[in-house]
Amino acid sequence: MKFFEKVLIANRGEIAIRVMRACRELDIETVAIYSTADSDALHVKYADEAFLVGEAPPAKSYLNMERILDIAKKSGAEAIHPGYGFLAENYRFSKLCHEEGVVFIGPSWKTIRAMGSKIESKQMMRDADVPVLPGTPGGIQGPEEAKSIADEVGYPVIVKASAGGGGIGMHIVHDEKGLEEAIEAGRRIAQSAFGDATVFIEKYLEKPRHIEFQVLADEHGNVIHLFDRECSIQRRHQKLVEEAPCPIMTPELRERMAASAIAVAKASDYTNAGTVEFLYADGNYYFMEMNTRLQVEHTVTEMITGRDIVKHQIAIAAGESLSLDQDDVTIRGHAIECRINAEDPLNNFAADPGKILRYRSPGGPGMRVDSGIHMGYSIPPTYDSMISKLCAWGADRSEAISRMRRAIYEYVIIGVKTTLPLHHAIMHNRHYINGDTHTHFLQEEHMQKTLARYVREEETRMQTLAASLRQGKQIAAITGAVNVYINSQKK
Ligand code: MV4
C-alpha cells in the first residue's frame, strides 16, 4: 500500500531521516527542506528532492509556514510530516495545511489547539473520569481564590502556565508566603513566552515518575495503545534516557493507565499517533498532558512492539482504518534509548557544536542508532545538539542494560564533547539498575560523584584513540578494534 505518492518532511536531522525511511519502505517519494545551515546535512542527501527553505534561524526556515506550503505545492507533495519540535504542535500550521489542501500527518488542528491548553485539556480529562491532580479548575482569578485552593489541596503546590510546556513559567510553592509572588512571576513569564498569562495551581508531587502511553487512533473511531514508556530521567525538561516498558509497571496498573490513555484519546477526538503523559507517585497516576506529535522516544515502543509508528501515522493520515486490533499488539522484551548530545557534562551540559572528526556507531544484536550526522559533518550551533538516539533491545531489562553498556563501549565520537559518559554513569548506577528512578534522579548526589569520574575516563579513551589515529593506526579506528587497543593500553 502506497498511501501517498509524495510526502514533504518539514524537519531536519535524525527525525527527518526517520520519516523518510518509512516513506522509502512504503515506496513514497520524499521532499526535504533545508536551511542555509543544513546544506550538507544527511536528510538533504537522503531525500528524493530537496528545497532550500530559508536562512539558518528557525523562524526563517523550519518555522516558515507559508514557504513550506509553497514548496509542498511546487513539488507536488500531497502530505507534510512535521516530525517533532518546530511546527509539529502548531495548530495554525495544521489548519493552514488543511485550508490549502495538503494533508497534515498528525491530529486535527482543533485537537492540537485543545491539547495546547493545559487548563482545557485537564478539564476535558476530568470530565472523562481520567485522574488529574487537584487544583484550580480554571485559570487563577485572584490571590484569594489561589490561597483557598492551595489550603484545600495542601502545600507544596505548583503554579503552571496554561499555554506552557517545557517547565516554562512553572513555580513550586511551599507555603502561603510564596504564593502570590509565584503567581505573579508565572503570569509574567507566561505572557512573554506564550502571549497568554493564564496560570493555574495544582498539588505538587515531590519525586514523581513520568510514565507515558503511546496511542494510535484512526479517523474511523478506532483507538489502540502501544503500551507504556518510562521517561523520568530528564535534565531541564529534556529527556535523556527513556525505556519501554516502564520498569515498575504491573498488569493491574497497566490496565488502569491504558484505559485512561484510551479515554484521553477518545475524549479529545484524537486521530493519528499521540502520547498521553502521566505523573505517577505512590501507586497513583494523574494525567499531565497529551503530546500531539510523534515523539523522540517512539523508538523504544517500536522495539518492544515490532510496529512501525511512522508507517501507521502515514496510513492513518491517508484515511486508512487501523490495520491492528489491540490484541494484535504485544510486548516483547525491553528497550532503552539514550540521547547522545554534543554537550559537555562537566560544564553544566553546555552545547559543544563542532566538527565530527571521527565517528563509528555501535552495531550487533539488539541495536538501533537513529542519527542525522556522519564523520566530517559539522554540528551547527543553530539547532539542538543531538548526535544520535542510541537504542538497545534485550529479551529482558537486564539484557537491554548490558547491551547499552556494550554500545557505549563501542561508540567512537571524536571532535565534540558528548553525553556518552553520563549514559555510562547511568547504566552503571545501582538505583537505575533497580529501576528506581524519578524526575529528580540526576540531581541526586550519587550521580554527581560518579559522573565526573566517567567523564574523565571517557576523555582519556578518546584522547588515546585520537593519538593512535595520528600515528597512522586508521585501520584500527574503522574496524572498531581500536576499542580493544585502547583498553589494553590503559592496563
Ligand atoms: C509537575 C510536577 C510535580 N507535580 N506537576 C515538568 C514539565 C511540565 N510538563 C510538568 N512538569 C512537572 N509537573 C505537579 N503537580 C513535576 C514536574 C516535573 C517533571 C515532570 C516530568 C518529567 C520531569 C520533570 C522534572 C521536573 C518537574
Side-chain angles (χ1 to χ4, degrees), residues 358 465 468-480 482:
R358 297 282 164 181
L465 171 54
S468 86
L469 289 164
R470 280 196 297 277
Q471 288 160 24
K473 297 189 173 79
Q474 263 87 355
I475 293 159
I478 38 177
T479 57
V482 71

Side-chain angles (χ1 to χ4, degrees), residues 159-307:
V159 176
K160 289 183 179 180
S162 182
I168 299 165
M170 242 173 58
H171 292 273
I172 300 152
V173 184
H174 293 278
D175 50 46
E176 195 181 306
K177 286 202 301 286
L179 189 58
E180 237 182 287
E181 198 183 311
I183 292 168
E184 276 321 302
R187 289 183 59 83
R188 220 170 29 243
I189 294 165
Q191 180 63 45
S192 73
F194 314 112
D196 175 359
T198 314
V199 297
F200 64 102
I201 60 177
E202 65 183 20
K203 177 79 188 158
Y204 178 69
L205 302 174
E206 298 279 358
K207 287 180 178 178
R209 281 174 182 267
H210 172 132
I211 302 175
E212 58 186 34
F213 274 73
Q214 177 73 55
V215 297
L216 289 177
D218 66 21
E219 291 165 4
H220 311 280
N222 304 303
V223 185
I224 62 169
H225 70 84
L226 265 50
F227 299 101
D228 37 283
R229 295 188 285 258
E230 154 83 54
C231 307
S232 292
I233 301 187
Q234 313 207 356
R235 217 186 142 272
R236 290 205 222 110
H237 306 294
Q238 288 281 33
K239 292 170 188 161
L240 287 168
V241 178
E242 304 100 337
E243 60 185 285
C246 168
I248 59 141
M249 195 54 74
T250 62
E252 178 268 341
L253 179 64
R254 179 172 284 134
E255 200 173 302
R256 286 195 293 142
M257 291 185 80
S260 288
I262 300 269
V264 167
K266 289 198 164 150
S268 59
D269 284 324
Y270 204 85
T271 53
N272 218 280
T275 298
V276 185
E277 294 189 342
F278 298 101
L279 289 177
Y280 170 92
D282 307 320
N284 297 309
Y285 67 89
Y286 310 92
F287 170 78
M288 184 163 57
E289 55 191 78
M290 180 156 198
N291 294 319
T292 57
R293 60 168 191 276
L294 177 70
Q295 287 193 277
V296 175
E297 63 271 24
H298 74 279
T299 50
V300 288
T301 298
E302 292 187 326
M303 287 180 108
I304 62 158
T305 60
R307 306 293 173 177

Side-chain angles (χ1 to χ4, degrees), residues 5 13 53 64 84 87 99 111 114 122 168 209 216 225 230 244 256 293 342 344-345 387 397 404 441:
E5 294 294 326
V53 66
N64 188 339
Y84 54 71
L87 296 169
E99 286 161 2
T111 301
K122 215 178 140 176
I168 299 165
R209 281 174 182 267
L216 289 177
H225 70 84
E230 154 83 54
R256 286 195 293 142
R293 60 168 191 276
D344 182 356
I387 293 173
R397 187 168 187 267
M404 185 61 84
F441 181 80

Side-chain angles (χ1 to χ4, degrees), residues 65 69 87-113:
M65 305 187 211
L69 268 163
L87 296 169
E89 290 179 286
N90 186 320
Y91 80 86
R92 289 183 196 87
F93 183 62
S94 172
K95 188 164 181 274
L96 199 61
C97 288
H98 184 74
E99 286 161 2
E100 300 287 324
V102 178
V103 175
F104 177 84
I105 302 177
S108 76
W109 66 266
K110 285 183 182 164
T111 301
I112 299 175
R113 188 177 63 180

Side-chain angles (χ1 to χ4, degrees), residues 145-158:
E145 186 207 12
K147 278 197 184 107
S148 87
I149 298 273
D151 280 339
E152 208 177 296
V153 305
Y155 289 92
V157 296
I158 184 167

